[in-house]
Amino acid sequence: MINRTKTRKVMVGNVQIGGNNKVVIQSMTTSKTHNINETLKQINELHKEGCEIVRVAVLGNEDAESLKELVLKSPLPIVADIHFNYKFALLAADAGCAKIRINPGNIGKLENTIAVVEKCKEKNIPIRIGINSGSLPKNMVEKYGWTAKAMVESLRTHIEILENLDFKDIIYSLKSTDPLMAIEAYTMASEIWDYPSHLGITEAGSLLNGTIKSSFGLGVILFNGIGSTIRISLSEDPIQEIKVAKRLLNSMGLYENIVEVIACPTCGRLEFDLSKVVKEIENYVEGLNFPLKIAILGCVVNGPGESAQADIGIAGGNKGGIIFKKGKLFKTVKQEELVPELKKLILEYYESWKNKIPN
């Protein structure tokens, strides 16, 4: 079990960030926020996939004026993503948004920051300070270079503004497109502050590249006990961000309600269409959000040993196959019965889980 770094608790609507061992999964809509129907469609799809918090862009008055209806109809707490214009932050707070993402040092006069802070205090709304390596202040880069130190010192200036106004419902992020820089920045910040951190690798890229970069960078940070909420940033449908986040956290023992399908690498002993079966089973369990590990193995030689860490598993052969439970032989079947029998067993486990019946 990974020892989690202790942080203060911050409530985002009814979702707790920090103060516990949970890592909350979030994403961001790609629709124009003022297109309420499309934005709600995306939010509902994200919620169904397992997203726990959703962020929306507030770029203009139309977006800001749409927030009240979105908050009313959204199944998830909504975070308003705001840059520079403090008036949008005030409108977002009055609309009932659960968190404001705005950097207090970038919204002009101190009076503007005071207005936002007082409104957030009144509404019990936290503020996320978002530092990105690609948009560091010129003075920080001149002093520290394009480094993790520059990111952390930039974060310090924003945190001090809020702390000087006696505001501590803070979440911070230190996103870099360079995973090594992000690892260093989050590690440094966790040694200075006990505010919960929002993890992300920014501009990570497409599904393949973005998943690899994010899994490496965020995996190291999470392994070191840092991070209270996570967004996998991909140039894809936001649903893919949730899928990757769940699987990353699950692989680290930080997310339970997922059906994990593991499969052996193919080799010359393979005597059935393993790839086809894996895809069929992955599609079959797509909407089943409960803890189950399934092993799909290509031959009966190593089946018992390799499936021992799975709840259930199958090993295919030329004319037949075997089904395992916890690494022990459960049933021998004909090859054409292997997948139907496995599906039947998956459903039995699902029903037992729903009814809390031990297997």
Side-chain angles (χ1 to χ4, degrees):
M1 182 58 134
I2 296 171
N3 293 319
R4 309 292 299 152
T5 301
K6 290 184 179 180
T7 68
R8 64 174 64 226
K9 178 178 78 172
V10 176
M11 295 303 296
V12 179
N14 60 354
V15 177
Q16 180 175 329
I17 305 291
N20 57 22
N21 291 326
K22 181 176 171 57
V23 180
V24 173
I25 297 172
Q26 60 178 284
S27 185
M28 188 172 183
T29 56
T30 58
S31 59
K32 298 300 181 185
T33 302
H34 58 264
N35 186 339
I36 293 174
N37 289 337
E38 179 58 29
T39 303
L40 282 172
K41 180 174 178 288
Q42 283 195 14
I43 291 172
N44 283 309
E45 289 170 350
L46 287 166
H47 177 242
K48 184 179 178 182
E49 189 62 38
C51 183
E52 296 164 282
I53 292 174
V54 66
R55 182 158 45 112
V56 300
V58 184
L59 301 176
N61 285 317
E62 279 188 291
D63 293 334
E65 290 166 1
S66 301
L67 292 173
K68 189 171 184 179
E69 185 174 351
L70 288 173
V71 168
L72 185 65
K73 296 179 179 179
S74 171
L76 298 173
I78 286 185
V79 179
D81 189 80
I82 295 161
H83 295 268
F84 310 119
N85 194 325
Y86 83 100
K87 292 181 179 178
F88 293 158
L90 301 179
L91 290 171
D94 282 332
C97 288
K99 182 170 70 174
I100 306 294
R101 191 277 197 196
I102 192 168
N103 289 351
N106 295 346
I107 54 176
K109 299 179 293 184
L110 179 60
E111 289 83 355
N112 298 348
T113 302
I114 292 172
V116 172
V117 168
E118 290 304 314
K119 178 65 73 172
C120 287
K121 282 183 180 179
E122 175 194 338
K123 303 286 186 177
N124 293 316
I125 297 171
I127 292 173
R128 172 159 79 90
I129 299 170
I131 304 299
N132 277 17
S133 62
S135 55
L136 289 171
K138 187 178 179 182
N139 65 318
M140 290 294 174
V141 176
E142 288 175 349
K143 186 172 183 179
Y144 301 105
W146 191 70
T147 62
K149 176 70 171 175
M151 294 178 70
V152 173
E153 290 306 313
S154 179
L155 173 62
R156 188 192 301 275
T157 63
H158 294 293
I159 286 179
E160 287 178 350
I161 290 170
L162 294 182
E163 288 182 337
N164 288 337
L165 296 171
D166 195 29
F167 187 89
K168 294 187 177 180
D169 273 345
I170 299 168
I171 298 170
Y172 68 83
S173 62
L174 290 158
K175 297 186 180 183
S176 174
T177 189
D178 177 355
L180 292 172
M181 190 171 175
I183 292 167
E184 186 180 357
Y186 279 109
T187 303
M188 290 172 62
S190 72
E191 294 169 353
I192 301 170
W193 299 285
D194 67 349
Y195 297 115
S197 57
H198 165 122
L199 302 188
I201 302 297
T202 191
E203 299 165 10
S206 63
L207 183 58
L208 178 61
N209 290 337
T211 296
I212 292 169
K213 287 178 71 172
S214 295
S215 296
F216 163 63
L218 303 187
V220 172
I221 297 166
L222 289 164
F223 183 76
N224 289 329
I226 301 165
S228 299
T229 181
I230 184 173
R231 182 203 173 185
I232 304 291
S233 298
L234 299 173
S235 305
E236 305 283 347
D237 184 326
I239 292 294
Q240 298 299 328
E241 298 184 351
I242 307 304
K243 291 181 185 292
V244 174
K246 290 197 300 185
R247 282 154 182 77
L248 172 59
L249 294 175
N250 177 259
S251 72
M252 304 184 74
L254 294 170
Y255 188 88
E256 188 177 65
N257 286 349
I258 187 173
V259 178
E260 181 184 2
V261 180
I262 61 174
C264 65
T266 55
C267 71
R269 293 193 301 269
L270 189 64
E271 294 185 292
F272 81 115
D273 195 342
L274 179 76
S275 178
K276 180 181 177 183
V277 171
V278 170
K279 289 176 182 175
E280 183 174 349
I281 295 301
E282 284 182 336
N283 289 334
Y284 183 73
V285 301
E286 180 72 27
L288 300 179
N289 296 317
F290 79 110
L292 184 70
K293 182 176 284 190
I294 305 167
I296 301 176
L297 307 169
C299 70
V300 296
V301 175
N302 295 323
E306 292 181 358
S307 67
Q309 301 304 312
D311 297 297
I312 53 178
I314 62 171
N318 185 24
K319 295 181 180 179
I322 49 181
I323 298 177
F324 300 98
K325 276 189 175 184
K326 299 292 185 182
K328 295 181 180 179
L329 178 62
F330 171 66
K331 188 183 288 188
T332 301
V333 298
K334 296 177 181 178
Q335 191 176 93
E336 63 268 21
E337 296 173 351
L338 199 55
V339 171
E341 286 289 333
L342 179 59
K343 289 180 177 178
K344 180 181 175 183
L345 201 53
I346 292 168
L347 276 185
E348 288 176 5
Y349 269 78
Y350 181 59
E351 292 300 324
S352 296
W353 175 78
K354 280 202 307 183
N355 297 310
K356 294 183 170 52
I357 301 171
N359 286 297

